[in-house]
Amino acid sequence: AVPRRLCILKGIYPHEPKHKKKVNKGSTAARTFYLLKDIKFLLHEPIVNKFREYKVFVRKLRKAYGKSEWSTVDRLKDNKPTYKLDHIVKERYPTFVDALRDLDDALSMCFLFSTFPRTGKCHVQTIQLCRRLAVEFLNYVIASRSLRKVFLSIKGIYYQAEVLGQPVTWITPYTFAHDHPTDVDYRVMATFTEFYTTLLGFVNFRLYHSLNLLYPPKIDGQADVELKPTEGKEYAMDSESYLEKLSALSASLARVVAPAHEDEVEMDEFPVEGETAEQMDARKKEQEALEKHKKLFEGLRFFLNREVPREPLAFVIRCFGGQVSWDKSLCIGATYDVSDPSITHQIVDRPRVEQQVVGRYYLQPQWVFDSVNAKLCLPVADYFPGVLLPPHLSPFVTEQEGDYVPPEKLKLLAMQRGENPDEESEEEEEEEEEQEEEEDDNDKEEEEEDESEKEEEMKLKKMEEQKAQSNKALPVKVTAGKLRLEDRQRLEQEQQSEEKRLAIMMMKKREKYLYKKIMFGKKRKVREANKLAAKRKAHDSAVREEKKKSKKARRA
Amino acid sequence: PPWHPGVHLHETVSPALTPRPSAPLQDIRNTVGNIPMEWYQDFPHIGYDLEGKRIYKPIRNKDELDMFLEKMENPDYWRTVQDKMTGADIKLTDEQVDLVHRLQKGQFGDVHFNPYEPAVDFFTHEVMIHPVTNRPADKRSFIPSLIEKEKVSKLVHAIKMGWIKPRKPKDSAPTYYDLWAHEDPNSILGRHKMHVPAPKMKLPGHEESYNPPPEYLLSEEEKLAWEQQEPDERKLNFVPQQYRCLRAVPAYSRFIHERFERCLDLYLCPRQRKMRVNVDPEELIPKLPKPRDLQPFPTTQALVYRGHTSLVRCLSVSPSGQWLASGSDDCTVRFWEVCTARCMKTLPVGGVVKSVAWNPNPAVCLVAIGVEQSVLLVNPCLGDKLLYGATDQVLESYVAPEEERVQPVQWVTATMEEHSKGVRLVVQHSKAVKQVTWHGKGDYFASVVSDNSNMQVLIHQTSKRWSQNPFRKSKGLVQCVLFHPVRPYFFVATQRYVRIYNLLKQELTKKLMTNCKWVSSMAIHPGGDNVICGSYDSKLAWFDLDLSTRPYQMLRHHKRALRSVAFHKHYPLFASGSDDGTVIVCHGMVYNDLLQNPLLVPVKVLKGHALTLDLGVLDVLFHPTQPWVFSSGADGTVRLYT
């Protein structure tokens, strides 16, 4: 009977009791338990009174409607009680860093709500507010260039930004109409959104001010826009054009203070105690790599074709310093035309491009995302329109020792280290193919050889067994002993493993259980990795087979 | 006929439609009143006249054809109407028809009524010089209204009190400011220390990509398995899929669901801080001295003694270590030379051999064999001729006492035939003998009989051919008994306890709790202060008698029931044989220092016996002088490990 809304807003969550039976009157049925302390804490909340007022308001309004007292209805509606969540935000997140740490869900929710249709489901104001806050946040990320990773998943697009040292991850759905499920309680989501919008508003304010930007963001060079207001008018109404322009993500924002020329002050180095020169060096290198990553697309001019998702691409490209434009009819804020000769990359997502312009690359959108994740501009050849794309890997996975690493990732890591394995590997592949063809003929022979070897081994084994038995049998037959070459290392290993086995026997029961559990987990991991590797191998061999066949067909 | 009590008889109204009595002679009126006429539907009459006679309806027997003919022939058919009240046909007059027409058009019934009379204004728009009424104005029209004043003052009060806000500026857009401008560490609530932040959502792996590496795609079987799993049990909550290009990626149908579930998790899931066990499994393994440093101990199988055709139940080594006796289910006892694995002698005993024990006295060459209901004392005639000759002499020098004493068993001298085989004495029990064991001096031996009474354990003296029953009461099923190697103690192992009796004082000194379900075997450290117990629930309990009556350590090395345990006489070794076919040799160092606990380290797992009939090793035994161990198994072999 705990008011749901209050719990959501105040962030009160149930607890698992230490003795379930004791608290639950002897039964072990699943029940949620709140701490008494928490509930008492809720009672002191001033917003409880506001909720009561609201309840009274609803009752009065219903009564007035019933009596058809329209003037009363108007008056009541004018004085609808409202409440603010500012103090709750402050209370739940006493420091700004706390708020940043908990921003993931807020952002994901706001991005989801901003894509809702403006009918039914929830209030239009909420949707508009969500859209506004989301766009503001995107603009901040662009201005601060804090985007780090992007991932196109089948669920949506994941972004990870590093805001003031805190990683903030959010997911946006692909821009399609939602198939609204019926088994979802939108009121719960709306309550969460209510809190999240408040939180995100304050966070945005603070973030903008940390960059010396005006908070309700203003587009830089407002004068230019004002000169030609006609452009906006055909696209949207005056009231909306502002947000639309902002959400086009093409213009930079106005600053409170004009940006100083030397923005990058050389950071003084304070050697931390206990830090070796090597560590310092590594840190410096990391810093440099980060700077380089931030300027990944600096100087490149992109043009987005109309079939590619504009907002994510524009956002990502702008985050890394690239310039971006699109068809004028697609969205407001296009800065240059398709025919602009200075365009270096055109993002295209169609199988074939008629009328290619010389001097620019035509690329599929995955190139942008993969480049961002790889922290370098990848070779363009794999991403031409109509080409079978290389797999898109998750940037969130960091493989540990013993994990399965897909070969593409290995290639990428090599590329990041500055090697260029591409050509070599291709050559190798061809060589391999040739070799394989030769091998095909040899295979049979080899197999035969293998078999004969096996047979010999079997014979030897049998002999040994016989010997072992005959040793004990009475009619002693002395045969010339064979010098068994003893592998020192193997012996040593065997001995060690035996020692370990014996030591395991001496473990205490509880420790043995724990040990077995850990070992089981490890083994499972290895098994899974092996499975993936085997799958990959099978797939590769199948592909190669196909290739060979097609090659032969071509030859014939 | 129906009767209507409350209905007045009266004429129906409707002046226009009331039929003028066309025939004055027959005055048929409605006598039933204003009632639903269908009540009389099925009767030939309607109502009653003054005399109480029925007023009959006019007879109607026209069928469709008659009706049609009448319609064709009668010129007044169209103006004929049936009066429902009386049932008579009425022909409408011209006036009546006219009236009907007018009403149908929506005109007034009265012909002479003019609906369009010229309008005469009561008040003209022209201002007159005289008032309409001559009434003088009220006083209240000159003074301000009190009611209005009251209403206004109420409004003013409400505004003053803030109940009504006149023309409040509407500002629905939330205002934001720097909420964290003054971060005051003191204002942080204490409960924040206890706050458990919600764990973040799991970040996606390669398999969630729209274009994952091919190995992450599910194969057909995996997909099927995924579909058959419960949604909660699935490892991935989606099926990895591959799309050719970004354009082909559809919307994810469960996006809202997932957000919603996250919301539910955030406010409905109990949160708890869990200490993650971050242990290096290698650190869990106890640091033990290396077996290599604890040598010598048996490591390899050196000899196999073949010859028995059935399970070899028991083993015994001569005190010199030269001979080995083994008793088997094939009803023989075989004597082997240890070093050559040669069977020196086979003694058929005519029964399953349960126990064999070599006399520990090196000056005597005598083996006690438990067969069925008797214990045979056998001189195997092996080794030094002087020695076994002396043994025979000692046995023959027995002089029977004058008075016959009552004994629980019978001592019988062997017959000539038996004597030639080596049997010297037969001690006949009343029940089957389970175990025989010698006292360290070699004169006394104890036998265990499978029985429930107090006669389970008997102690015999060879030189006097005399037996006694030490216990008055049975304390449970005795599994095995042992003499203390140096002191006059006697160990009796029942199913769950080991009792230690002082033979001199004739009292119970200690009772060891084994914590096992069923003790199978027992061995005493040559020092005499430590005991090990093997049990059928695959545990081995080490007791330090100085420490406590509970096991100092329980070793669960074997996977199946332990059959036998043994200590080495000189080396700090003990071994256990089990049904899983292995013999585990452990280093068991006992220190003279009372403060230092015994050190137990398993040093070797010896395998060799094949499992037969679900039995593995049945007996283990150490060589008296060398670090060698013998084991006898259900596969009919005896093996020596050196």
Side-chain angles (χ1 to χ4, degrees), chain B residues 111-170:
Chain B
V111 190
H112 308 293
F113 181 75
N114 183 8
Y116 306 112
E117 297 262 352
V120 180
D121 286 347
F122 186 72
F123 298 106
T124 65
H125 61 281
E126 291 155 21
V127 180
M128 303 289 197
I129 53 164
H130 297 296
V132 180
T133 58
N134 212 7
R135 195 161 166 270
D138 282 328
K139 185 188 175 186
R140 64 170 178 261
S141 64
F142 299 106
I143 54 173
S145 157
L146 278 177
I147 297 166
E148 273 178 16
K149 190 187 164 193
E150 206 173 323
K151 273 188 179 166
V152 169
S153 72
K154 261 184 188 169
L155 283 176
V156 168
H157 182 65
I159 290 169
K160 272 184 185 166
M161 297 302 286
W163 298 335
I164 298 178
K165 290 203 178 81
R167 288 180 291 288
K168 191 186 59 173
K170 275 227 163 181

Side-chain angles (χ1 to χ4, degrees), chain B residues 332-374:
Chain B
T332 57
V333 175
R334 280 173 186 258
F335 295 91
W336 316 81
E337 194 176 18
V338 168
C339 300
T340 58
R342 187 165 162 211
C343 181
M344 303 300 289
K345 210 173 174 188
T346 310
L347 179 69
V349 287
V352 172
V353 183
K354 285 283 174 63
S355 178
V356 175
W358 209 294
N359 194 320
N361 189 350
V364 177
C365 182
L366 202 61
V367 180
I369 302 169
V371 183
E372 288 183 340
Q373 298 200 351
S374 52

Side-chain angles (χ1 to χ4, degrees), chain A residues 67-127:
Chain A
K67 289 182 178 173
S68 320
E69 292 173 352
W70 306 119
S71 61
T72 321
V73 168
D74 283 344
R75 187 173 51 80
L76 284 173
K77 272 188 176 168
D78 281 348
N79 295 329
K80 185 178 168 183
T82 54
Y83 53 89
K84 284 194 166 182
L85 301 172
D86 307 5
H87 63 284
I88 297 184
V89 172
K90 178 81 198 245
E91 184 189 282
R92 278 178 66 173
Y93 306 109
T95 60
F96 184 54
V97 177
D98 288 338
L100 283 181
R101 267 184 209 140
D102 225 6
L103 212 57
D104 291 14
D105 291 313
L107 278 171
S108 298
M109 197 64 128
C110 277
F111 274 99
L112 171 65
F113 263 66
S114 61
T115 59
F116 275 179
R118 304 189 176 195
T119 50
K121 297 309 166 211
C122 57
H123 295 297
V124 179
Q125 289 92 332
T126 316
I127 296 170

Side-chain angles (χ1 to χ4, degrees), chain A residues 4 8 12-16 34 38 41 78-79 84 86 89-96 99 101 104-105 108-109 112 116 129 132 151-155 158 167 169 171 173-174 176 178 180-181 183-186 188-189 192 196-198 201-203 205-206 215 309 349-351 364-366 389-394 396-397 399 404 406-407 472 495 498-500 502-503 505-507 511 514-515 518 522 528 531-532 535-536 539, chain B residues 163-165 168 170 173-184 188-189 191-192 194-196 200-201 203-206 208-219 222 235 237-241 243-247 249-253 255-260 262-264 266-272 277 279-282 284-286 288 290-292 301-304 306 553 555-557 584 600-605:
Chain A
R4 185 184 60 200
I8 293 174
I12 301 291
Y13 47 86
H15 283 261
E16 194 70 17
Y34 289 89
D38 284 349
F41 173 69
D78 281 348
N79 295 329
K84 284 194 166 182
D86 307 5
V89 172
K90 178 81 198 245
E91 184 189 282
R92 278 178 66 173
Y93 306 109
T95 60
F96 184 54
R101 267 184 209 140
D104 291 14
D105 291 313
S108 298
M109 197 64 128
L112 171 65
F116 275 179
L129 183 63
R132 193 191 119 193
F151 179 50
L152 297 168
S153 91
I154 54 174
K155 294 182 180 176
Y158 287 88
T169 317
I171 178 174
Y174 288 114
F176 291 104
H178 290 288
H180 281 284
D183 51 346
V184 161
D185 190 352
Y186 279 93
V188 172
M189 302 237 293
F192 269 101
Y196 285 152
T197 48
T198 320
F202 286 115
V203 168
F205 186 92
R206 174 93 178 204
Y215 173 54
D349 197 1
R350 49 180 80 180
Q364 298 208 36
Q366 196 187 321
L389 288 168
H392 180 60
L393 297 172
S394 166
F396 301 112
V397 181
E399 278 91 358
Y404 173 70
K472 278 97 200 180
Q495 204 166 15
E498 195 185 347
E499 272 171 27
K500 202 170 152 190
L502 292 172
M505 283 201 317
M506 279 305 281
M507 276 161 94
E511 283 179 357
L514 184 64
Y515 178 80
I518 295 174
K522 274 190 173 174
E528 269 164 20
K531 196 177 157 197
L532 282 178
K535 245 172 147 183
R536 177 65 182 220
H539 178 265
Chain B
W163 298 335
I164 298 178
K165 290 203 178 81
K168 191 186 59 173
K170 275 227 163 181
T175 50
Y176 299 116
Y177 50 92
D178 195 355
L179 191 68
W180 293 279
H182 311 285
E183 279 180 7
D184 181 12
I188 298 173
L189 294 178
R191 47 183 290 114
H192 258 280
M194 297 303 297
H195 179 75
V196 183
K200 297 201 169 187
M201 292 273 275
L203 288 172
H206 297 312
E208 207 181 309
S209 165
Y210 85 101
N211 182 14
E215 62 268 31
Y216 286 98
L217 295 174
L218 297 185
S219 63
E222 281 169 329
K235 212 168 173 202
N237 56 2
F238 56 91
V239 181
Q241 251 152 359
Y243 296 100
R244 244 177 333 94
C245 50
L246 189 58
R247 189 183 63 227
V249 182
Y252 183 59
S253 58
F255 194 90
I256 296 179
H257 271 285
E258 277 184 10
R259 284 323 315 168
F260 178 61
R262 172 69 176 169
C263 288
L264 290 187
L266 283 179
Y267 92 101
L268 282 181
C269 259
R271 294 185 201 165
Q272 205 174 21
V277 194
V279 193
D280 183 15
E282 300 305 320
L284 286 174
I285 300 174
L288 294 174
K290 288 202 167 166
R292 212 180 305 161
Q301 175 178 305
L303 292 175
V304 181
R306 289 176 199 277
Q553 210 161 5
L555 307 176
R556 293 177 187 81
H557 296 171
I584 295 182
L600 309 182
V601 183
V603 287
K604 190 72 191 169
V605 179

Side-chain angles (χ1 to χ4, degrees), chain A residues 236-250:
Chain A
M237 284 190 295
D238 262 349
S239 56
E240 287 174 351
S241 71
Y242 165 68
L243 184 63
E244 292 293 339
K245 267 178 215 156
L246 200 62
S247 61
L249 305 171
S250 67

Side-chain angles (χ1 to χ4, degrees), chain A residues 400-454:
Chain A
Q400 263 129 24
E401 183 93 21
D403 284 355
Y404 173 70
V405 188
E408 287 82 10
K409 179 103 181 188
L410 290 175
K411 222 183 201 174
L412 194 73
L413 288 174
M415 221 186 284
Q416 278 171 347
R417 267 181 266 121
E419 297 161 21
N420 195 359
D422 225 30
E423 291 163 21
E424 289 168 29
S425 71
E426 262 175 37
E427 278 171 24
E428 271 174 29
E429 261 177 38
E430 292 207 349
E431 274 173 30
E432 265 176 33
E433 273 171 30
E434 280 167 27
Q435 272 180 2
E436 264 175 31
E437 275 166 31
E438 285 167 23
E439 271 171 23
D440 274 350
D441 309 327
N442 296 343
D443 266 352
K444 283 174 192 173
E445 289 167 28
E446 270 179 27
E447 273 171 27
E448 277 168 24
E449 274 175 30
D450 278 344
E451 275 174 23
S452 63
E453 270 177 30
K454 270 181 198 168

